[in-house]
Amino acid sequence: MKKSLATLFQKRCACLYTSTYVDMSVNLFSIYNPGPTTIEQYVEEVKDFSSQYGSEGSISYTALNVVGEPNIFPKFGDYTQAFLLRTYGSWWLNSASLQKPFSYCIPKDEVISQDFLEVRFKEKVYPLELNIYETYNPGAIVKVLAYSYGSAEWKIIWKSLPQIVHSQSRIFKIETKNVNFATDLYRLEFHHAHLKYYYELDAISLTGKSLLFSFQYILQSESNLNANEEIGLAETFEKVSLKAIKEYKSLANGYFDLLPSEVFNVILSYLDLMSLCIAARVSRLFYKHCYDPTLYTGLELKLYWNKVTSDMLYGLKNRCSSLQYLNLSWCGNKGKLNPASFIQFLENCGQFLKYLYLSNCSFVNNDCMKAIADFCPYLQEFQICSCRQRSLDQLGFMQISRLVELRHLDLYRTLIDKHSIIGILRSCIKLQYLGLGNCSSINNFDDIAAEIARNLRNLKSLDLWRAKTLSSVGIYLLANHCLLLNEIDIGWCNSIDASSGCLRDLFHKCTELKRVILTTIRTVSDFDLVTIANHLKYLEQLDLLGVREITKEGILRILTDCKKLKLLDVSFCGQIDFETVNHWQEMFPNITIQKSYQIPD
């Protein structure tokens, strides 16, 4: 039955007064006599992000650069004042260290977001339009979510497929006129696998209606809110009660009764997780098969990060007795997933778990890390990137040392310190892939290199990106003991003195290298490039961005002798001009040669 106008008015006024709906007291008089209602504002604070090209505490290429008004637009190009994501294109996805062991179905027309940026504006408004100032390689934004304080949920207010955009700066306008709640929190999600180079973002502006608006607009919002809630019910994870299923009338299942269980399960395996949960409600036969543990050997919950709750994990635990792969990255925002429920889930479902991804999970604390070590004895791959909460300290990181079967460990942007990682390296000697990019709390990377050289003789991939204290001493240690390396990222390790010969020693001995990142190591010279050309016959990717001493002759030697080379970055290499790059691109059409640029107004 519809609410009466008087009842609805009374309810809305009470909500406004108590702040339960819009979180702000509003004088009832202002509902009938609104003042100026349209407000334009820029980002006031960056709340969270998944990755950034810049380092912690820097102002170059960091997420903090989206705060305030644009300072690059309408210029186009690679500027340090912008926000850059750490990776782009398919190059990083093709890395051996990022190959996912499980394939999974995703909903039709759904795009897998690779990164996100969460921002806060000064004032809560009913959003009408977002203006996103994209100043280099636009087209990465695929989804925008807004946080509803009333329902305590992140809601999708816009989404689209990735775009191919001509190389020019632009203001990407996103209209959000049907949003029926006021908020100051927004999250942008990015997919950049299709981009040819780094995506750069200058600023974000928000235009919206203030909380002082007409009663008629409130009534319209109520109607829209109810409609959206009804749609949302079909999209949420629902626990299917066996008791409720038994109360359904017995119905014939048609030809499905004739199918062998194995064939039925193969058909169901093509459903994404949401569809599988809904299919369980069709009949007792579907319920039986949709709860088969063989359909839940891998859970890709990052796709549904804004829907994952403690109750949802509780509903899934009875289905996941054979779970081997779990991706909870980005989940647990705003307290939706608590440590106790995660620990209980692992206690029930972690005994066969081999692959666990918890990047940007705010619920992860020391107790969670202990539970992982207690209940996941066969864990081989563990990713905990950008988990920087205070409840996760060195006592939690030390628990990783108990995971002696680990082959892959990624600690990008965590606050792990030297003593904790040394303890891990001494115990987890089976590690083949190690990520310590931008771990700013490690105060001596030469000591870490010494432990790696001593314990990880089978190491294949090493990420020491922005390891500021790594010197030539550490490189010599790696060169002498880690002979099986396929990938090494020592970009922005500016304490390395290449003139000492340490890099030449590395390239001479680690001849299996396929991917080498040497970004901004200023002392790299043509002598190092000649060594690469002579010894790295399997080289596929080489990043020389910001290496100023190399010449055209040295680069040409690389292009000529490295027959498997696919990607070469010579951006900001002072002696390499665009005319030469264009000529090389014609000579070597199978090699992508990158050189960023800047175009003024």
Side-chain angles (χ1 to χ4, degrees):
M1 181 180 294
K2 294 184 178 179
K3 300 180 179 71
S4 67
L5 184 63
T7 304
L8 180 58
F9 177 74
Q10 185 180 17
K11 175 183 175 182
R12 282 302 188 198
C13 290
C15 289
L16 288 170
Y17 182 76
T18 59
S19 304
T20 58
Y21 181 67
V22 295
D23 298 323
M24 182 179 289
S25 298
V26 177
N27 189 293
L28 296 182
F29 180 76
S30 65
I31 295 177
Y32 291 98
N33 299 275
T37 59
T38 302
I39 296 175
E40 182 180 7
Q41 52 187 324
Y42 292 91
V43 173
E44 182 171 75
E45 180 185 6
V46 173
K47 299 293 290 184
D48 198 7
F49 56 89
S50 56
S51 78
Q52 64 179 8
Y53 191 79
S55 62
E56 305 299 322
S58 173
I59 60 173
S60 299
Y61 298 128
T62 62
L64 290 177
N65 285 332
V66 303
V67 173
E69 298 184 12
N71 51 29
I72 300 172
F73 186 85
K75 292 184 283 189
F76 175 78
D78 189 354
Y79 291 88
T80 60
Q81 305 98 310
F83 164 51
L84 270 72
L85 302 169
R86 185 182 173 185
T87 62
Y88 69 90
S90 61
W91 306 107
W92 278 260
L93 296 178
N94 294 331
S95 168
S97 60
L98 288 179
Q99 296 306 306
K100 297 297 183 185
F102 270 76
S103 60
Y104 48 87
C105 298
I106 63 173
K108 186 179 180 181
D109 298 328
E110 187 70 38
V111 178
I112 301 176
S113 299
Q114 297 173 276
D115 283 293
F116 74 85
L117 172 69
E118 183 181 324
V119 296
R120 184 183 66 82
F121 294 86
K122 183 176 182 180
E123 186 172 339
K124 296 175 185 175
V125 295
Y126 290 81
L128 298 176
E129 185 178 78
L130 282 166
N131 290 324
I132 302 169
Y133 293 77
E134 299 176 309
T135 52
Y136 205 36
N137 301 299
I141 297 176
V142 293
K143 191 179 295 184
V144 178
L145 300 96
Y147 185 72
S148 170
Y149 289 92
S151 61
E153 292 179 337
W154 284 98
K155 297 188 176 182
I156 298 172
I157 60 175
W158 177 90
K159 69 176 181 178
S160 178
L161 297 175
Q163 299 180 5
I164 302 296
V165 183
H166 294 296
S167 295
Q168 59 184 6
S169 60
R170 68 168 183 173
I171 302 176
F172 183 38
K173 296 183 181 293
I174 297 177
E175 293 187 356
T176 59
K177 293 183 178 180
N178 293 326
V179 179
N180 46 47
F181 55 88
T183 186
D184 56 354
L185 278 180
Y186 297 84
R187 178 178 285 215
L188 279 60
E189 294 189 6
F190 308 93
H191 179 90
H192 41 78
H194 62 296
L195 297 182
K196 294 182 178 180
Y197 205 52
Y198 292 102
Y199 171 81
E200 299 192 14
L201 185 61
D202 184 16
I204 306 169
S205 71
L206 169 66
T207 302
K209 287 186 175 292
S210 70
L211 296 178
L212 307 179
F213 53 88
S214 69
F215 176 57
Q216 182 178 1
Y217 189 83
I218 296 177
L219 293 178
Q220 182 63 39
S221 296
E222 173 72 13
S223 175
N224 291 338
L225 181 61
N226 290 338
N228 287 343
E229 288 174 345
E230 291 172 2
I231 294 172
L233 290 176
E235 298 176 346
T236 57
F237 293 97
E238 291 193 34
K239 295 179 288 183
V240 182
S241 168
L242 181 58
K243 181 179 178 181
I245 291 292
K246 289 181 178 179
E247 292 176 356
Y248 293 163
K249 293 181 180 180
S250 178
L251 298 175
N253 295 298
Y255 290 105
F256 286 109
D257 284 321
L258 303 178
L259 287 176
S261 297
E262 295 80 4
V263 176
F264 206 138
N265 285 357
V266 168
I267 296 172
L268 291 175
S269 69
Y270 287 93
L271 296 179
D272 61 84
L273 183 58
M274 298 280 276
S275 300
L276 199 59
C277 293
I278 295 172
R281 301 157 58 188
V282 172
S283 68
R284 276 182 271 186
L285 178 65
F286 272 72
Y287 173 85
K288 172 187 174 182
H289 287 284
C290 288
Y291 270 60
D292 192 313
T294 60
L295 296 174
Y296 299 90
T297 55
L299 281 181
E300 182 65 35
L301 297 180
K302 177 185 171 184
L303 288 170
Y304 315 104
W305 68 267
N306 59 318
K307 299 178 183 293
V308 174
T309 64
S310 297
D311 289 338
M312 194 219 77
L313 274 192
Y314 180 83
L316 285 172
K317 71 176 183 179
N318 292 330
R319 318 177 200 186
C320 300
S321 59
S322 301
L323 188 65
Q324 298 179 43
Y325 170 96
L326 176 62
N327 190 351
L328 277 171
S329 295
W330 304 6
C331 297
N333 187 282
K334 302 295 182 185
K336 288 289 186 179
L337 185 57
N338 59 57
S341 60
F342 173 72
I343 292 170
Q344 186 182 27
F345 182 81
L346 285 188
E347 186 175 3
N348 285 273
C349 309
Q351 61 269 31
F352 300 116
L353 199 62
K354 294 182 180 179
Y355 311 96
L356 179 60
Y357 304 93
L358 299 175
S359 296
N360 289 92
C361 288
S362 57
F363 66 87
V364 176
N365 60 14
N366 290 349
D367 292 335
C368 291
M369 298 294 281
K370 182 179 183 302
I372 293 169
D374 287 342
F375 304 127
C376 307
Y378 303 111
L379 200 63
Q380 296 181 13
E381 192 162 326
F382 186 33
Q383 189 180 92
I384 192 171
C385 305
S386 297
C387 288
R388 300 168 63 86
Q389 49 272 18
R390 294 181 181 179
S391 56
L392 175 60
D393 57 28
Q394 305 314 314
L395 292 176
F397 286 120
M398 281 300 296
Q399 297 294 331
I400 300 175
S401 63
R402 297 167 55 197
L403 301 171
V404 295
E405 297 297 321
L406 274 183
R407 268 72 167 177
H408 183 136
L409 177 63
D410 195 349
L411 296 162
Y412 166 73
R413 276 194 75 236
T414 61
L415 297 176
I416 192 169
D417 67 8
K418 182 181 79 170
H419 301 291
S420 297
I421 190 61
I422 286 177
I424 293 170
L425 296 175
R426 290 176 178 176
S427 300
C428 304
I429 58 175
K430 296 181 181 180
L431 277 172
Q432 297 180 11
Y433 304 95
L434 178 62
L436 296 174
N438 212 5
C439 290
S440 55
S441 295
I442 298 177
N443 56 15
N444 191 329
F445 269 95
D446 283 342
D447 288 348
I448 304 305
E451 291 295 333
I452 292 172
R454 187 177 298 116
N455 298 294
L456 305 184
R457 300 297 177 91
N458 295 320
L459 192 66
K460 295 181 179 179
S461 178
L462 180 60
D463 178 7
L464 298 179
W465 188 64
R466 293 190 180 275
K468 296 180 180 180
T469 55
L470 180 68
S471 73
S472 305
V473 174
I475 298 298
Y476 274 118
L477 289 168
L478 296 173
N480 290 323
H481 297 92
C482 299
L483 305 182
L484 300 181
L485 276 174
N486 294 149
E487 303 173 348
I488 188 166
D489 188 341
I490 48 176
W492 297 89
C493 297
N494 297 324
S495 296
I496 296 174
D497 181 10
S499 64
S500 67
C502 62
L503 292 180
R504 294 193 288 276
D505 194 43
L506 178 72
F507 303 143
H508 179 75
K509 294 176 179 177
C510 301
T511 57
E512 301 294 318
L513 280 168
K514 296 180 179 179
R515 181 167 176 260
V516 177
I517 309 297
L518 302 174
T519 310
T520 72
I521 300 180
R522 312 295 187 191
T523 51
V524 170
S525 67
D526 281 355
F527 294 109
D528 301 296
L529 300 188
V530 170
T531 306
I532 291 175
N534 288 338
H535 296 282
L536 301 188
K537 301 303 181 183
Y538 303 103
L539 186 67
E540 296 179 0
Q541 299 180 33
L542 177 62
D543 189 339
L544 298 171
L545 184 149
V547 180
R548 298 171 181 171
E549 299 301 318
I550 56 176
T551 67
K552 299 176 184 179
E553 291 74 17
I555 295 294
L556 186 59
R557 182 71 184 274
I558 294 284
L559 293 169
T560 303
D561 291 357
C562 296
K563 303 297 185 182
K564 295 184 179 294
L565 190 66
K566 298 177 181 178
L567 175 67
L568 173 67
D569 195 334
V570 291
S571 300
F572 298 106
C573 294
Q575 300 187 49
I576 313 299
D577 55 51
F578 284 101
E579 183 179 354
T580 302
V581 170
N582 292 334
H583 177 61
W584 286 339
Q585 196 67 77
E586 293 177 359
M587 292 176 60
F588 306 96
N590 295 325
I591 302 174
T592 298
I593 304 175
Q594 304 282 20
K595 184 170 177 63
S596 62
Y597 54 89
Q598 298 177 350
I599 298 178
D601 297 359

